Amino acid sequence: MPTPETKDAPPSHGWLVLSYRVPSEPSRNRVSVWRELKRQGALFLQNCTCVFPDLPPCRKGLRTAIRKVDAAGGSHYMFPVDRLPAAQAARLVAAFRQLSTKEYEEIVEECRTKFVKEIEFERERRNFTYEEAEEIREDFEKIDRWYRRVVARDWFHAGLRDRVAEELAHCETLLDAFEAEVYARAGEDQDIHDAP
């Protein structure tokens, strides 16, 4: 994985600009290309034109998106840009940081408003089943995978990585405690059923 730029240093790499067209019908093809580019960390400059830092993982992700464009019967142009005026490069870096910040904030919101609330709700309902514990564990792993994807494309250090890691650690602590209670209660139920 490439080393992200430090907070104030100008980028030491160039940029990749992708401009593409996909037939308007079926619309699912356009949506599929757009989703793939967003998943890869694209910064859209306007409709169907986006930019990436010229880094190996970005080139790889662009190849995947371009295959989708081609498979949909579309066309594309990719322009490498070696250098930009310092002010323009700074604006791009700031925009990429803003994208990462927004995603980090969404992960924190997911943790607080859904994950933590789900555990509280199941405790209140006294729903201490293996199935519920497994479902909540899957939810946690989904959030954790999301976090890792955001970290992988946080090329310019948005600054929230550690805060989100702490939030996830808190969620995992709550989950571990819930699972421990599930297993303890399951053992109690087993003892009751086994009693003569």
Side-chain angles (χ1 to χ4, degrees), residues 68-156:
K68 285 185 175 271
V69 170
D70 293 341
S75 60
H76 69 277
Y77 297 96
M78 189 165 69
F79 307 98
V81 178
D82 290 335
R83 292 183 191 273
L84 284 174
Q88 288 183 18
R91 282 203 319 264
L92 284 178
V93 168
F96 273 109
R97 285 182 181 142
Q98 188 176 8
L99 280 178
S100 295
T101 294
K102 183 178 179 208
E103 286 195 278
Y104 284 133
E105 288 171 347
E106 288 171 355
I107 293 170
V108 169
E109 183 180 350
E110 184 79 9
C111 288
R112 291 179 181 173
T113 63
K114 292 186 181 170
F115 187 83
V116 172
K117 296 288 185 198
E118 177 68 15
I119 289 178
E120 290 171 357
F121 179 68
E122 297 307 338
R123 280 184 179 285
E124 190 175 304
R125 286 184 0 163
R126 306 185 66 74
N127 186 18
F128 297 104
T129 65
Y130 287 122
E131 295 79 14
E132 191 58 44
E134 187 174 329
E135 184 179 316
I136 294 173
R137 173 63 66 179
E138 287 171 3
D139 289 344
F140 174 78
E141 289 171 356
K142 185 169 132 184
I143 296 169
D144 188 57
R145 284 192 303 272
W146 179 14
Y147 168 70
R148 291 177 193 283
R149 283 194 307 269
V150 175
V151 166
R153 60 183 179 241
D154 181 13
W155 303 298
F156 303 103

Side-chain angles (χ1 to χ4, degrees), residues 42-95:
L43 172 64
F44 276 83
L45 303 175
Q46 62 183 23
N47 193 25
C48 298
T49 301
C50 57
V51 64
F52 288 85
D54 191 356
L55 299 168
C58 296
R59 283 187 172 267
K60 182 179 178 185
L62 272 167
R63 285 193 296 270
T64 301
I66 286 169
R67 281 195 294 273
K68 285 185 175 271
V69 170
D70 293 341
S75 60
H76 69 277
Y77 297 96
M78 189 165 69
F79 307 98
V81 178
D82 290 335
R83 292 183 191 273
L84 284 174
Q88 288 183 18
R91 282 203 319 264
L92 284 178
V93 168

